[in-house]
Amino acid sequence: MNAGKQELKIRRVSSRKRSRDSLQTHLTPARETGGGSCSLQCSKSRRLSSIMAQYCSDSEDLFGDYDSILEDSSLLAKLDNAEQNERQRDLQSGLSKDSTWRRSCEDILTDSIIDGLGDEDLPASQIQFEEQVCDVKRSRLQDGDRTSTPFRNTAGTAEAGKDGNMEDKTKRQSKARRSVTDQLKRTMLCNAAAPSNVSRTAVLKEAVVSEEISVAMQAMETVSAETTDLGPFFGLPTKVKDLMHKLRRIKSLYDWQETCLNLDCVQQRKNLIYSLPTSGGKTLVAEILILRELLCRKKDCLFILPYISLVQEKVRGLASFGLELDFMVEEYAGSKGKFPPVKRRHQRSLYIATIEKAHSLVNSLIETSRLDDLGLVVVDELHMLGDGSRGAVIEMTLAKVLYMSKKTQIIGMSATLGNIEDLQTFLQAENYTNDFRPVQLKEYVKLNDTIYEVDPKEEDCFKFSRLLNFKYSSAMQKMDPDHVIALVTEVIPTHSCLVFCPTKKNCENVAGMICKYLKEEFLRHREAEKAVLLRELRDSGNGSVCPVLRRTVPYGLAYHHSGLTTEERKLVEEAYSTGVLCLLACTSTLAAGINLPARRVILRSPYVATDFLKRSQYKQMVGRAGRAGIDTVGESILILQDRDRDMAKSLVCAPMENCYSNLMHDDGKGVLSLILSLIGLQITTSLEQVREFLRGTLLHVQQKQLCVERSVREVVQQCVHLLQEKGLITVASDSHSQTLQVTKLGRASFKGSVDLTYSEVLYRDLSQGLDGLLLNSCLHLVYLVTPYDVVSQCKPDWMVYLRQFTLLSAAEQRMSAAVGVPESFVARKAAGQTVKNSGNMAVVRRMYLALVLFALLKETNVWNVAERFQLSRGFVQTLLSSSSAFCSCVLHFTEELEELWPFRALLTELTRRLSYCVKAELIPLMEVAGVMESRAKQLYNAGYKTLAHLANADPAVLSKTVGNLYKKQAHQIVASARMLLNEKAAALQEEVDDLLKMPLDLPSA
């Protein structure tokens, strides 16, 4: 081989480097690529080859315009000389055939001596490129004879070297020469093409996540009973574990959680019910299973929660996971939610829904034949199956999923139940039960001035613990005979305390009473933060603040019940969670809602209103005692009177209550509604098929206890007959069988989720409304969407009624008279006169509530409206949220009936106005989960005026710019805004894709 030094000539062509704009349009930074299943699936060698083929073809030298490399024209020549010397040494050492053979098994001839250079001084992109080249060589080596890189100095090549002519040597020399030049060009090309803002660490991390997801997916496909470990984090990539730590501060799982996640039935995707005490960490297990379904099996999930506040809290909490792991989090609560949901091609969705919205969602998926896309349904508080009409809706939803999809897994989280076997039979599920609590709970009862510990082993369940040591004056004893002040001052303000009261009024009284006897040091405890809380409460009420809260908050106390507005409740809950408030006097609804634990829980009485506590309610309340990670023990104290002692024994020591089906609740309304939807969705078309479906319900499992007077068969027959009488279905008979079909009214009823008690009335009201629909005011529309079931809770103040009636325009008064409420009637009632023909009082009360909503839409101030109509602000807020939800139902109802077409456009906008009831400019901000009116005003005034502003905000800057906004809250708001923005953008993109898609049935020539 000619080792002579060749002269390297470089010709100046241009003083400027060639533009790289064309490269940027074809390359996507690693951090912008989707999720995780692509990075390692694609061959690196193919990626490298495609880059070279696209940008470095033989016909074009991309580096021909450069004067030199690093301003040193001799660099290529020096490298070439070094390579020639290296090859000479190789040839000389290659004379020994045996040593050559040994080396052939160990080493590989590289393309260039550059491979031997250290990489500590090279840029990250070049190091990455070097690794890609190595991967290409290894892949070639694995291909055996097809490799393009020969073994160094093998016997065959040695002989060829002896016999070869000068031409062969020249070719090899030119190849060697090209290898240096080519590799430099290729390296520089990759340096130029690689995005400078993507670190090598980030690329490698993404690759690891992708590989782990791929491994988990393969494991899910081949899982067996023996397989319990599906991946690094229960079948999920390590990134999920890191996110748990970063977002939730969770470093490790409890033993029971690991055991539950590794159960054979979970690995085999069988249905599961798991039961633990309150605060045991049930939700985390469900969330891990949801993430596994979304990421590994690429299926949608449905998470059912009992209350709107819980849905919104969970949407905020999981939005960050969705952004990091590339899935959608969609809220289905109140008036929010699209039916059927948007079908996404490239992303999976987690639907977080209330009980009623979840039922409508499942119906829409069945109707569009998309239920198999739903891989997992998780139900929180599964024991609510036994809770009246809402329990019936849960049962209908789960029965439909079981009947229509064999691929959808159901996971139920429940309190401990006495008849869990019935639920297992219904759901065809395994059961896992554990009595774990992260903090030990000690239960006590108080009789007179003595504290007893609850001990089921004792004969009377109570064991003496201690005497209450607190000096009471005679006045104080009269004010507080149950020694509540003594019990709470043992723990506050250092620790937190919840006092559960039987009524809303009692909550306010207890909070006020305790304040009267607290020392001044309570006022100084976190004084500045309590002043901020009062200011926020005043802002939420547009300058008004509850007088009770104004008096109690400075002491660190507040009350919590449905009489508060949604925004007041949220502010009080946040203040309690952060320790600004140390005591809440609350009703039992707090125990079933958001998780607010306490060091000590006091039950002011064993009653809820006038009803004695149920065992499940008691357990839910005392379960709030003990804060994981803060307290070592939690205490509950039930205050008893002597007359309640015997009943209290059964309350604290008796086994858990049983859970029963509620399909027969309220004269079988549940069964009636279920059968209508089954026929409407064409799940069943005959009586026999309806009976077959009902065999898969909890009602069928418990028919011996529940169907004593009439059998399920008779119930079905009666319901079908009643639906036919109401004009909701038709029954077509022939010689062999009967065919059941839904009517237009029936379809509208189940699609709108309208209570069948009111479906006929609603249709009549809407039809009559069309005759003289008032369009220069929204009063008529508001009246038509005022919920029928709230009317019974209203007792009009007739003087207020008359005053508000006289403020209406002449057209509005005529509309009121047309629906059955003339001014003369209201005037006589206000004057205290007896009205012989009182007409339909339900219509009169409904119009009164419509006036409340009408005033609210005009003024948007709940406090002022509540005061004007002599109603509690909590009731006004509840009326508003109920009306927005019912308006959404009426909208879906009218969409199924052609004759009601004018309402469709009108009700769409009214639903939006009722949902937020604020100035138009604040609505985009309030669409974000957890953003209330006062917060929306703060954001708007700070310059965050649109969803895009919020989605692109820096949480650190946001928390500094907006007053009293914690960093965690800022992160959640930004994450929720980004998720909502992504959701809207994805929906529009899906619409575009559908519009541009080639029709499958396009006629051909």
Side-chain angles (χ1 to χ4, degrees):
M1 180 184 289
N2 182 13
K5 183 176 179 180
Q6 296 183 7
E7 183 179 357
L8 181 68
K9 294 181 180 180
I10 299 178
R11 177 169 56 90
R12 176 182 293 276
V13 177
S14 172
S15 61
R16 291 177 176 268
K17 294 182 181 181
R18 180 170 297 187
S19 169
R20 288 279 178 252
D21 292 345
S22 60
L23 292 181
Q24 294 171 2
T25 59
H26 292 82
L27 297 170
T28 305
R31 65 184 176 84
E32 292 180 14
T33 58
S37 61
C38 176
S39 305
L40 288 182
Q41 299 297 328
C42 301
S43 167
K44 292 179 181 177
S45 60
R46 280 205 307 274
R47 183 169 62 229
L48 179 61
S49 301
S50 65
I51 291 174
M52 293 302 298
Q54 189 172 359
Y55 300 117
C56 197
S57 64
D58 293 338
S59 61
E60 181 185 12
D61 186 356
L62 291 180
F63 300 92
D65 291 346
Y66 285 90
D67 293 320
S68 63
I69 302 169
L70 302 176
E71 300 298 327
D72 185 358
S73 62
S74 64
L75 180 60
L76 279 176
K78 290 176 182 177
L79 288 171
D80 185 64
N81 185 41
E83 186 177 52
Q84 299 296 348
N85 291 336
E86 179 69 12
R87 291 187 184 279
Q88 284 282 7
R89 284 196 298 273
D90 284 347
L91 285 173
Q92 290 170 7
S93 62
L95 296 175
S96 173
K97 187 174 182 179
D98 293 337
S99 63
T100 301
W101 175 258
R102 282 194 298 272
R103 279 196 301 273
S104 71
C105 299
E106 301 168 354
D107 206 357
I108 299 170
L109 179 63
T110 59
D111 287 333
S112 167
I113 62 165
I114 287 179
D115 290 348
L117 298 177
D119 60 9
E120 60 271 10
D121 294 325
L122 298 176
S125 57
Q126 188 166 325
I127 295 170
Q128 184 183 351
F129 173 77
E130 294 289 334
E131 291 174 351
Q132 292 171 350
V133 172
C134 291
D135 287 346
V136 172
K137 283 183 244 172
R138 278 195 292 270
S139 66
R140 286 174 179 169
L141 197 63
Q142 291 168 359
D143 289 340
D145 296 336
R146 290 175 293 172
T147 181
S148 61
T149 308
F151 288 110
R152 179 182 294 177
N153 296 334
T154 61
T157 55
E159 290 296 319
K162 290 177 183 177
D163 299 337
N165 53 26
M166 185 59 66
E167 184 181 353
D168 294 328
K169 291 183 180 180
T170 306
K171 286 181 180 178
R172 283 196 296 275
Q173 179 183 331
S174 65
K175 287 179 182 176
R177 177 71 182 85
R178 281 198 304 271
S179 68
V180 178
T181 313
D182 289 350
Q183 179 136 341
L184 278 173
K185 288 181 179 180
R186 291 160 75 182
T187 303
M188 291 177 70
L189 173 64
C190 287
N191 281 340
S196 59
N197 58 344
V198 181
S199 69
R200 181 171 176 241
T201 306
V203 172
L204 292 176
K205 277 187 177 179
E206 184 176 353
V208 169
V209 172
S210 303
E211 183 178 22
E212 288 178 353
I213 289 179
S214 177
V215 168
M217 287 178 68
Q218 292 171 10
M220 291 293 286
E221 290 172 2
T222 59
V223 68
S224 64
E226 292 74 34
T227 306
T228 55
D229 185 11
L230 299 179
F233 186 65
F234 304 102
L236 289 165
T238 309
K239 184 175 182 180
V240 175
K241 187 177 182 180
D242 295 340
L243 285 172
M244 287 289 180
H245 183 221
K246 177 184 173 183
L247 301 174
R248 300 278 184 82
R249 300 289 183 265
I250 297 172
K251 294 183 180 178
S252 59
L253 272 63
Y254 296 128
D255 290 343
W256 83 263
Q257 291 171 327
E258 294 201 10
T259 302
C260 186
L261 286 166
N262 286 318
L263 290 172
D264 286 348
C265 62
V266 173
Q267 307 299 343
Q268 295 166 20
R269 297 192 70 256
K270 292 182 179 177
N271 296 342
L272 173 71
I273 302 170
Y274 59 100
S275 311
L276 279 97
T278 303
S279 304
K282 296 191 290 286
T283 307
L284 180 59
V285 171
E287 289 176 352
I288 290 173
L289 292 174
I290 286 170
L291 292 175
R292 194 157 72 180
E293 197 71 22
L294 289 164
L295 300 180
C296 298
R297 298 193 72 248
K298 302 291 182 184
K299 291 286 187 179
D300 297 330
C301 297
L302 172 59
F303 198 167
I304 304 175
L305 295 161
Y307 305 110
I308 293 176
S309 59
L310 293 179
V311 169
Q312 292 175 340
E313 182 192 21
K314 192 56 64 181
V315 168
R316 290 197 302 273
L318 290 175
S320 296
F321 285 90
L323 291 171
E324 293 283 348
L325 299 171
D326 196 32
F327 62 85
M328 288 291 180
V329 179
E330 301 183 39
E331 180 183 344
Y332 279 78
S335 60
K336 291 185 178 178
K338 185 176 177 62
F339 302 106
V342 175
K343 187 173 184 179
R344 307 187 191 282
R345 294 180 179 85
H346 309 298
Q347 279 183 308
R348 294 291 111 196
S349 292
L350 167 57
Y351 311 115
I352 304 180
T354 56
I355 292 168
E356 293 76 15
K357 287 288 183 178
H359 185 224
S360 298
L361 181 67
V362 167
N363 282 346
S364 69
L365 290 174
I366 291 173
E367 190 173 26
T368 53
S369 302
R370 288 170 49 193
L371 190 60
D372 283 344
D373 290 343
L374 197 63
L376 177 65
V377 175
V378 175
V379 187
D380 194 13
E381 311 289 357
L382 184 65
H383 52 269
M384 286 186 71
L385 275 165
D387 184 20
S389 59
R390 303 195 81 206
V393 175
I394 298 174
E395 185 174 346
M396 285 188 265
T397 305
L398 296 180
K400 287 173 183 175
V401 172
L402 286 166
Y403 189 83
M404 295 299 295
S405 175
K406 304 304 177 188
K407 298 178 182 179
T408 305
Q409 184 183 16
I410 296 175
I411 302 289
M413 296 180 279
S414 172
T416 307
L417 295 172
N419 63 337
I420 197 75
E421 297 83 5
D422 286 355
L423 271 63
Q424 281 183 255
T425 305
F426 163 46
L427 294 177
Q428 304 156 33
E430 303 283 335
N431 179 41
Y432 176 81
T433 304
N434 197 304
D435 59 359
F436 171 82
R437 275 185 58 89
V439 178
Q440 181 187 2
L441 172 64
K442 291 186 177 180
E443 297 178 44
Y444 299 94
V445 297
K446 176 192 162 296
L447 271 165
N448 301 318
D449 59 353
T450 308
I451 306 290
Y452 298 91
E453 185 176 354
V454 174
D455 187 356
K457 296 176 184 177
E458 292 289 317
E459 187 175 344
D460 61 354
C461 289
F462 302 143
K463 182 173 72 175
F464 175 80
S465 177
R466 64 186 173 96
L467 289 172
L468 197 61
N469 184 22
F470 193 87
K471 293 181 180 179
Y472 269 64
S473 65
S474 57
M476 195 173 174
Q477 179 69 34
K478 187 176 180 181
M479 182 72 71
D480 181 26
D482 293 326
H483 307 107
V484 174
I485 297 169
L487 294 173
V488 301
T489 50
E490 288 178 347
V491 290
I492 63 170
T494 311
H495 301 289
S496 57
C497 183
L498 292 175
V499 182
F500 284 102
C501 303
T503 65
K504 289 187 283 189
K505 190 63 180 174
N506 192 233
C507 291
E508 299 175 30
N509 291 341
V510 166
M513 175 196 72
I514 295 172
C515 286
K516 289 181 181 178
Y517 296 97
L518 291 180
K519 298 176 181 177
E520 285 193 6
E521 63 190 57
F522 281 83
L523 292 170
R524 293 191 291 272
H525 182 74
R526 303 185 73 162
E527 187 174 3
E529 291 163 284
K530 288 185 286 195
V532 168
L533 174 60
L534 273 175
R535 189 164 63 249
E536 288 182 324
L537 287 168
R538 190 174 291 107
D539 290 343
S540 73
N542 290 309
S544 301
V545 64
C546 171
V548 177
L549 291 176
R550 190 189 302 122
R551 187 169 71 254
T552 62
V553 167
Y555 288 91
L557 279 63
Y559 66 88
H560 184 289
H561 57 60
S562 60
L564 293 171
T565 65
T566 307
E567 195 154 0
E568 285 175 321
R569 268 203 304 274
K570 190 169 183 292
L571 288 170
V572 167
E573 288 165 0
E574 287 175 355
Y576 178 81
S577 297
T578 54
V580 175
L581 296 176
C582 58
L583 182 144
L584 293 183
C586 50
T587 53
S588 59
T589 52
L590 182 137
I594 192 169
N595 186 22
L596 294 175
R599 172 65 174 270
R600 176 175 289 179
V601 169
I602 298 170
L603 278 70
R604 177 79 175 72
S605 163
Y607 291 88
V608 173
T610 56
D611 299 324
F612 200 80
L613 274 178
K614 295 178 182 177
R615 168 81 170 161
S616 57
Q617 289 174 314
Y618 169 76
K619 277 296 184 185
Q620 211 162 32
M621 291 181 192
V622 301
R624 295 296 180 209
R627 297 164 298 173
I630 301 174
D631 299 325
T632 54
V633 67
E635 303 171 333
S636 71
I637 301 174
L638 171 61
I639 298 174
L640 294 176
Q641 308 301 323
D642 286 325
R643 66 178 182 274
D644 298 321
R645 180 170 184 150
D646 291 336
M647 292 179 70
K649 287 180 185 178
S650 62
L651 176 66
V652 299
C653 296
M656 292 301 293
E657 296 137 338
N658 292 335
C659 173
Y660 292 106
S661 168
N662 272 270
L663 285 179
M664 296 294 291
H665 175 73
D666 199 5
D667 293 327
K669 280 174 65 174
V671 178
L672 200 67
S673 178
L674 173 60
I675 292 174
L676 176 62
S677 64
L678 292 177
I679 298 168
L681 293 168
Q682 296 183 336
I683 296 174
T684 59
T685 57
S686 68
L687 276 172
E688 191 51 47
Q689 287 178 345
V690 172
R691 294 187 187 111
E692 182 188 347
F693 180 94
L694 287 174
R695 290 189 193 104
T697 61
L698 182 60
L699 175 64
H700 182 266
V701 175
Q702 299 173 335
Q703 60 181 325
K704 290 182 179 177
Q705 297 101 309
L706 301 177
C707 300
V708 178
E709 297 179 0
R710 48 183 181 159
S711 67
V712 174
R713 188 182 187 87
E714 291 171 332
V715 169
V716 170
Q717 189 70 53
Q718 290 172 1
C719 286
V720 168
H721 181 67
L722 186 57
L723 289 170
Q724 192 177 6
E725 279 187 349
K726 286 177 172 285
L728 301 175
I729 65 169
T730 59
V731 181
S733 301
D734 57 30
S735 55
H736 301 289
S737 62
Q738 291 181 324
T739 303
L740 307 178
Q741 288 185 321
V742 71
T743 63
K744 288 183 178 180
L745 179 60
R747 176 174 294 280
S749 298
F750 92 80
K751 289 287 286 286
S753 301
V754 175
D755 189 326
L756 299 186
T757 309
Y758 306 117
S759 60
E760 289 179 85
V761 181
L762 176 62
Y763 179 73
R764 186 176 64 247
D765 286 348
L766 291 170
S767 300
Q768 290 175 353
L770 281 177
D771 294 339
L773 188 60
L774 183 67
L775 292 176
N776 61 356
S777 164
C778 65
L779 178 61
H780 199 171
L781 284 175
V782 167
Y783 170 78
L784 292 172
V785 299
T786 301
Y788 294 100
D789 55 356
V790 184
V791 170
S792 59
Q793 302 172 32
C794 169
K795 291 183 179 179
D797 181 314
W798 295 107
M799 285 304 297
V800 171
Y801 205 155
L802 180 62
R803 195 178 304 121
Q804 295 303 312
F805 198 96
T806 55
L807 294 175
L808 298 177
S809 68
E812 288 167 343
Q813 289 186 4
R814 284 196 300 273
M815 182 280 297
S816 179
V819 298
V821 189
E823 184 182 9
S824 58
F825 175 81
V826 179
R828 285 175 186 166
K829 293 293 284 185
Q833 298 178 10
T834 304
V835 182
K836 292 182 179 179
N837 184 14
S838 58
N840 188 343
M841 283 303 296
V843 172
V844 175
R845 292 195 185 101
R846 193 175 182 218
M847 177 55 72
Y848 187 72
L849 293 178
L851 290 174
V852 174
L853 291 169
F854 184 54
L856 203 52
L857 285 176
K858 288 196 295 185
E859 191 168 332
T860 73
N861 188 326
V862 172
W863 278 84
N864 291 349
V865 173
E867 188 176 349
R868 188 186 310 162
F869 284 87
Q870 299 297 300
L871 298 168
S872 75
R873 63 191 184 283
F875 176 80
V876 173
Q877 181 95 61
T878 303
L879 173 64
L880 183 63
S881 59
S882 299
S883 299
S884 68
F886 186 61
C887 188
S888 178
C889 292
V890 176
L891 174 59
H892 292 303
F893 182 88
T894 58
E895 285 173 344
E896 299 299 320
L897 297 165
E898 292 180 13
E899 62 270 29
L900 300 179
W901 66 267
F903 287 111
R904 294 172 198 169
L906 296 170
L907 293 180
T908 301
E909 179 57 28
L910 184 61
T911 302
R912 182 177 164 89
R913 290 184 63 188
L914 288 170
S915 297
Y916 303 106
C917 198
V918 293
K919 293 180 180 178
E921 62 265 22
L922 298 180
I923 290 178
L925 299 176
M926 289 188 65
E927 287 180 336
V928 178
V931 175
M932 301 296 177
E933 184 179 1
S934 62
R935 181 70 78 201
K937 287 178 181 176
Q938 284 181 310
L939 293 168
Y940 190 86
N941 293 334
Y944 299 95
K945 299 186 176 183
T946 65
L947 186 60
H949 281 130
L950 266 188
N952 292 286
D954 181 341
V957 175
L958 188 67
S959 63
K960 290 178 182 177
T961 309
V962 178
N964 314 315
L965 184 65
Y966 296 107
K967 284 186 178 179
K968 182 180 177 181
Q969 294 171 320
H971 277 281
Q972 287 186 336
I973 286 174
V974 171
S976 297
R978 284 178 185 167
M979 180 57 67
L980 185 58
L981 194 66
N982 288 350
E983 185 183 324
K984 291 188 173 187
L988 290 172
Q989 186 59 55
E990 295 288 342
E991 213 173 304
V992 170
D993 291 346
D994 286 340
L995 195 63
L996 298 177
K997 188 168 62 175
M998 179 80 73
L1000 296 176
D1001 57 349
L1002 187 68
S1004 57

